[in-house]
Amino acid sequence: MIHTNEILETLRMIDQEKLDVRTITMGISLFNCVCDDTHRLASRVYNRIVRQAENLVKVGEQIEREIGVPIVNKRISVTPISLITGAVPDPIPVAMALDKAAKETGVDFIGGYSALVQKGMTEADRRLIQSLPQALSETDVMCSSVNVASTKAGIDMDAVRLCGQAIKELAEKTRDRDGFGCAKLVVFANAVEDNPFMAGAFFGPGEGDCAVSVGVSGPGVVKRALENVKGAPFDVVAETIKKTAFRITRVGQLVAQEASRRLNVPFGIVDLSLAPTPAIGDSVAHILEEMGLEKCGTHGTTAALALLNDAVKKGGVMASSHVGGLSGAFIPVSEDIGMIEAAACGALTLDKLEAMTCVCSVGLDMIAVPGDTSAATISAIIADEAAIGMINTKTTAVRIIPAPGKKVGDFVEFGGLLGRAPVIPVHPFSSDDFIARGGRIPAPLNSLKN
């Protein structure tokens, strides 16, 4: 039974503490679009998406009005595109079809211009990765991802090298927007198939024809809860976060079930991640600072983030029958006002962010680095993150922007949810020979679990 005080508590979380549903994401399988003619394939992809998702935005807006919960984004994810373009010579027309279909349906983003290459690349995979600079610079709302590593397969260092080169070229192609194209590309290890968050969302080959998933948020709600237990032991802190995460996830579950019913599409998962925004009062970094850190990035930050991530998962998993995606705490620098402040003053460095990756939901997310950072250095950063994911059997990712013409201390400006980020330094020493080796870093011993 739902009590009056629980309803009032939820209303307060929405009204005063920036609780929102960050996204409703419809996953759409494109396997039935496959053919060997490029333009016919693109046409089939466009028609499939527009037909399936024609009511997504309308239904999202209806639920938002009726329940009173802000739904920030409506999004679409699709089958990794390299899996359906094996018989055609060029994936670019499909990229354009994705972007056009997203605009026709009115969604904010579409994800899935992706390749899964953790153990090797097909020609279709290679063509897609090489097309990323053109595809992401010439589209507006299409997002992309490449999975270069997994615990079971190891790290495909040839793919890592290609991704570093693609990111560098993409930054130059979007120089007039501070390298904005790179904000739409994520390089993963252990990517999950049901992630509703961009830019890394795709609808994996293990999914059905269609599903609707929800990603919740709520850093402001967690921070406010912790303000009521100042100075309390960490046992109390963890319990407070768990209870708060439970309430946040219940809201997401309600929205997901209602969207599923109205769209006549199966309910996928609730991703209970704490996804920040650049707005004041909506910061994961400020949650960590509320635990007693003077500034996010100082000693103790990794421990605080580990507690937060674990407590969020424990609380959320009791609130929904289908929890999935990434589910934890995100640390995108440009999208979190506390992270922006910490990086700008030097408290939060690339090395510290890498350490935080070991215990959070994703990794090096929306990091701006100097524009003269080499492709090999970018590839080496990706390799480091992939190694953390591979060894620790967790999802890690890199979304990095080598900002053209910018140096350490400058800012890049993206606006909206993508925010702004200070350009932070990378190590000056070369990784060129390391990346040039290529091949595959073998899977670790802990992959042998069968």
Side-chain angles (χ1 to χ4, degrees):
M1 178 179 291
I2 299 176
H3 297 285
T4 302
N5 65 328
E6 293 177 297
I7 296 172
L8 294 174
E9 176 74 10
T10 301
L11 291 174
R12 181 177 62 79
M13 288 159 57
I14 296 167
D15 185 51
Q16 300 178 22
E17 298 168 6
K18 300 186 182 298
L19 173 64
D20 60 49
V21 169
R22 186 55 48 85
T23 177
I24 292 179
T25 301
M26 178 179 282
I28 302 172
S29 172
L30 300 181
F31 283 122
N32 62 356
C33 299
V34 173
C35 66
D36 60 1
D37 179 274
T38 303
H39 296 289
R40 192 165 71 220
L41 172 60
S43 177
R44 287 182 176 184
V45 166
Y46 173 83
N47 291 332
R48 165 83 170 124
I49 293 168
V50 170
R51 282 197 304 268
Q52 185 67 63
E54 61 179 344
N55 294 319
L56 176 60
V57 171
K58 180 176 70 175
V59 166
E61 291 172 345
Q62 288 173 350
I63 295 171
E64 188 174 11
R65 286 193 303 269
E66 293 172 18
I67 299 179
V69 179
I71 299 173
V72 180
N73 278 177
K74 293 82 179 175
R75 299 165 173 171
I76 295 169
S77 64
V78 299
T79 305
I81 291 300
S82 72
L83 296 181
I84 68 164
T85 56
V88 300
D90 182 9
I92 290 293
V94 178
M96 301 305 165
L98 292 174
D99 201 56
K100 182 181 176 183
K103 292 173 181 176
E104 177 65 25
T105 59
V107 297
D108 299 281
F109 292 103
I110 186 167
Y113 194 73
S114 306
L116 311 178
V117 294
Q118 58 270 20
K119 200 172 182 180
M121 290 179 282
T122 66
E123 281 306 308
D125 294 326
R126 192 178 295 272
R127 285 195 297 268
L128 185 136
I129 295 172
Q130 291 172 338
S131 77
L132 289 173
Q134 180 183 353
L136 290 172
S137 63
E138 295 181 7
T139 56
D140 298 313
V141 295
M142 188 191 74
C143 296
S144 180
S145 59
V146 182
N147 191 69
V148 298
S150 72
T151 299
K152 294 293 290 184
I155 306 173
D156 183 344
M157 292 298 291
D158 293 319
V160 168
R161 182 177 67 248
L162 287 180
C163 286
Q165 294 167 354
I167 290 169
K168 185 71 174 175
E169 185 179 344
L170 177 56
E172 287 298 326
K173 280 184 173 290
T174 52
R175 168 181 282 270
D176 60 330
R177 291 173 285 166
D178 284 344
F180 170 75
C182 299
K184 299 190 294 173
L185 172 61
V186 181
V187 183
F188 277 117
N190 289 320
V192 297
E193 297 190 356
D194 55 5
N195 165 29
F197 284 101
M198 298 296 167
F202 61 85
F203 196 58
E207 300 285 335
D209 284 329
C210 189
V212 63
S213 297
V214 163
V216 298
S217 186
V221 180
V222 175
K223 183 179 184 298
R224 181 65 66 88
L226 292 185
E227 289 173 359
N228 296 324
V229 293
K230 282 188 181 293
F234 282 114
D235 314 76
V236 176
V237 172
E239 193 66 21
T240 301
I241 296 170
K242 281 166 55 182
K243 291 177 178 177
T244 305
F246 178 88
R247 292 197 296 271
I248 293 170
T249 308
R250 291 296 278 181
V251 173
Q253 173 88 347
L254 172 62
V255 171
Q257 289 178 332
E258 192 61 23
S260 171
R261 182 183 68 81
R262 296 188 188 195
L263 291 166
N264 194 30
V265 168
F267 164 41
I269 55 95
V270 174
D271 186 319
L272 50 97
S273 297
L274 295 182
T277 73
I280 301 296
D282 203 23
S283 165
V284 169
H286 288 165
I287 297 174
L288 306 180
E289 291 168 5
E290 185 61 37
M291 293 186 200
L293 304 173
E294 180 180 1
K295 187 64 69 174
C296 178
T298 191
H299 305 296
T301 298
T302 306
L305 183 59
L307 184 155
L308 173 63
N309 214 48
D310 180 64
V312 165
K313 291 177 188 291
K314 287 175 177 174
V317 78
M318 295 299 293
S320 174
S321 55
H322 297 288
V323 170
L326 299 167
S327 289
F330 289 173
I331 53 171
V333 172
S334 77
E335 300 172 21
D336 184 311
I337 185 62
M339 297 283 178
I340 295 168
E341 294 167 349
C345 76
L348 192 61
T349 64
L350 194 62
D351 288 343
K352 187 63 176 181
L353 284 162
E354 187 176 294
M356 292 164 68
T357 295
C358 298
V359 299
C360 80
S361 288
V362 188
L364 296 179
D365 197 9
M366 290 301 290
I367 310 294
V369 297
D372 61 0
T373 303
S374 71
T377 295
I378 294 168
S379 294
I381 291 169
I382 293 170
D384 283 343
E385 282 293 293
I388 291 171
M390 175 184 71
I391 294 295
N392 292 288
T393 320
K394 69 183 297 294
T395 303
T396 55
V398 174
R399 189 162 46 145
I400 190 168
I401 301 100
K406 302 284 186 177
K407 60 183 184 302
V408 173
D410 291 338
F411 271 81
V412 294
E413 304 278 352
F414 298 128
L417 284 178
L418 295 177
R420 65 196 298 262
V423 176
I424 61 176
V426 300
H427 287 289
F429 306 103
S430 171
S431 305
D432 292 14
D433 291 345
F434 176 77
I435 295 302
R437 286 179 179 270
R440 184 153 56 95
I441 294 179
L445 185 62
N446 63 1
S447 70
L448 301 177
K449 293 182 177 180
N450 290 339

Short mmCIF file of all heavy atoms in Angstrom, two decimals, residues 17 220-229 240-241 244 247:
data_model
loop_
_atom_site.label_atom_id
_atom_site.label_comp_id
_atom_site.label_asym_id
_atom_site.label_seq_id
_atom_site.Cartn_x
_atom_site.Cartn_y
_atom_site.Cartn_z
N GLU A 17 13.81 19.06 -5.72
CA GLU A 17 15.12 18.40 -5.73
C GLU A 17 15.52 17.86 -7.10
O GLU A 17 16.39 17.02 -7.22
CB GLU A 17 15.10 17.26 -4.69
CG GLU A 17 14.88 17.81 -3.28
CD GLU A 17 14.57 16.72 -2.27
OE1 GLU A 17 14.63 15.51 -2.65
OE2 GLU A 17 14.28 17.03 -1.12
N GLY A 220 20.16 15.39 -7.16
CA GLY A 220 19.72 16.39 -6.19
C GLY A 220 18.94 15.78 -5.04
O GLY A 220 19.04 16.23 -3.89
N VAL A 221 18.16 14.74 -5.33
CA VAL A 221 17.38 14.06 -4.29
C VAL A 221 18.32 13.38 -3.30
O VAL A 221 18.12 13.45 -2.08
CB VAL A 221 16.43 13.04 -4.93
CG1 VAL A 221 15.62 12.32 -3.87
CG2 VAL A 221 15.52 13.71 -5.94
N VAL A 222 19.35 12.72 -3.81
CA VAL A 222 20.30 12.02 -2.93
C VAL A 222 21.07 13.02 -2.08
O VAL A 222 21.25 12.81 -0.87
CB VAL A 222 21.26 11.16 -3.77
CG1 VAL A 222 22.33 10.53 -2.88
CG2 VAL A 222 20.50 10.07 -4.52
N LYS A 223 21.51 14.11 -2.68
CA LYS A 223 22.25 15.12 -1.90
C LYS A 223 21.38 15.67 -0.77
O LYS A 223 21.85 15.82 0.36
CB LYS A 223 22.73 16.25 -2.79
CG LYS A 223 23.57 17.30 -2.02
CD LYS A 223 24.06 18.41 -2.90
CE LYS A 223 24.96 19.37 -2.11
NZ LYS A 223 24.24 20.03 -1.00
N ARG A 224 20.11 16.00 -1.06
CA ARG A 224 19.24 16.53 -0.03
C ARG A 224 19.05 15.52 1.10
O ARG A 224 19.03 15.90 2.28
CB ARG A 224 17.89 16.91 -0.64
CG ARG A 224 16.90 17.50 0.35
CD ARG A 224 17.36 18.85 0.89
NE ARG A 224 17.40 19.84 -0.17
CZ ARG A 224 16.36 20.59 -0.51
NH1 ARG A 224 15.20 20.45 0.11
NH2 ARG A 224 16.49 21.48 -1.48
N ALA A 225 18.94 14.25 0.76
CA ALA A 225 18.79 13.22 1.79
C ALA A 225 20.02 13.16 2.68
O ALA A 225 19.91 13.01 3.91
CB ALA A 225 18.54 11.86 1.13
N LEU A 226 21.20 13.30 2.07
CA LEU A 226 22.43 13.24 2.87
C LEU A 226 22.62 14.47 3.74
O LEU A 226 23.29 14.41 4.77
CB LEU A 226 23.64 13.05 1.95
CG LEU A 226 23.75 11.71 1.22
CD1 LEU A 226 25.05 11.61 0.44
CD2 LEU A 226 23.63 10.55 2.19
N GLU A 227 22.03 15.59 3.35
CA GLU A 227 22.10 16.79 4.19
C GLU A 227 21.44 16.56 5.54
O GLU A 227 21.76 17.22 6.53
CB GLU A 227 21.44 17.97 3.47
CG GLU A 227 22.25 18.48 2.28
CD GLU A 227 21.49 19.54 1.48
OE1 GLU A 227 20.33 19.84 1.86
OE2 GLU A 227 22.05 20.05 0.50
N ASN A 228 20.53 15.60 5.60
CA ASN A 228 19.82 15.30 6.85
C ASN A 228 20.57 14.34 7.75
O ASN A 228 20.11 14.05 8.86
CB ASN A 228 18.44 14.72 6.52
CG ASN A 228 17.55 15.70 5.79
OD1 ASN A 228 17.59 16.90 6.06
ND2 ASN A 228 16.75 15.20 4.86
N VAL A 229 21.73 13.82 7.28
CA VAL A 229 22.51 12.89 8.11
C VAL A 229 23.96 13.36 8.21
O VAL A 229 24.89 12.56 8.21
CB VAL A 229 22.42 11.44 7.57
CG1 VAL A 229 21.02 10.89 7.72
CG2 VAL A 229 22.88 11.37 6.12
N THR A 240 20.79 5.54 3.87
CA THR A 240 20.03 6.69 3.39
C THR A 240 19.98 6.71 1.86
O THR A 240 18.93 6.95 1.26
CB THR A 240 20.65 8.00 3.91
OG1 THR A 240 20.64 7.99 5.34
CG2 THR A 240 19.88 9.22 3.41
N ILE A 241 21.12 6.45 1.23
CA ILE A 241 21.17 6.43 -0.24
C ILE A 241 20.32 5.28 -0.78
O ILE A 241 19.59 5.44 -1.76
CB ILE A 241 22.62 6.31 -0.73
CG1 ILE A 241 23.43 7.56 -0.34
CG2 ILE A 241 22.67 6.12 -2.25
CD1 ILE A 241 24.92 7.44 -0.58
N THR A 244 16.67 6.20 -0.67
CA THR A 244 16.38 7.24 -1.65
C THR A 244 16.36 6.66 -3.06
O THR A 244 15.48 6.97 -3.87
CB THR A 244 17.42 8.36 -1.55
OG1 THR A 244 17.47 8.84 -0.20
CG2 THR A 244 17.08 9.51 -2.48
N ARG A 247 13.10 4.92 -3.85
CA ARG A 247 11.99 5.81 -4.20
C ARG A 247 12.16 6.36 -5.62
O ARG A 247 11.19 6.45 -6.39
CB ARG A 247 11.90 6.95 -3.20
CG ARG A 247 11.49 6.52 -1.81
CD ARG A 247 11.01 7.69 -0.98
NE ARG A 247 12.06 8.67 -0.75
CZ ARG A 247 12.90 8.64 0.27
NH1 ARG A 247 12.82 7.66 1.17
NH2 ARG A 247 13.82 9.57 0.43
#
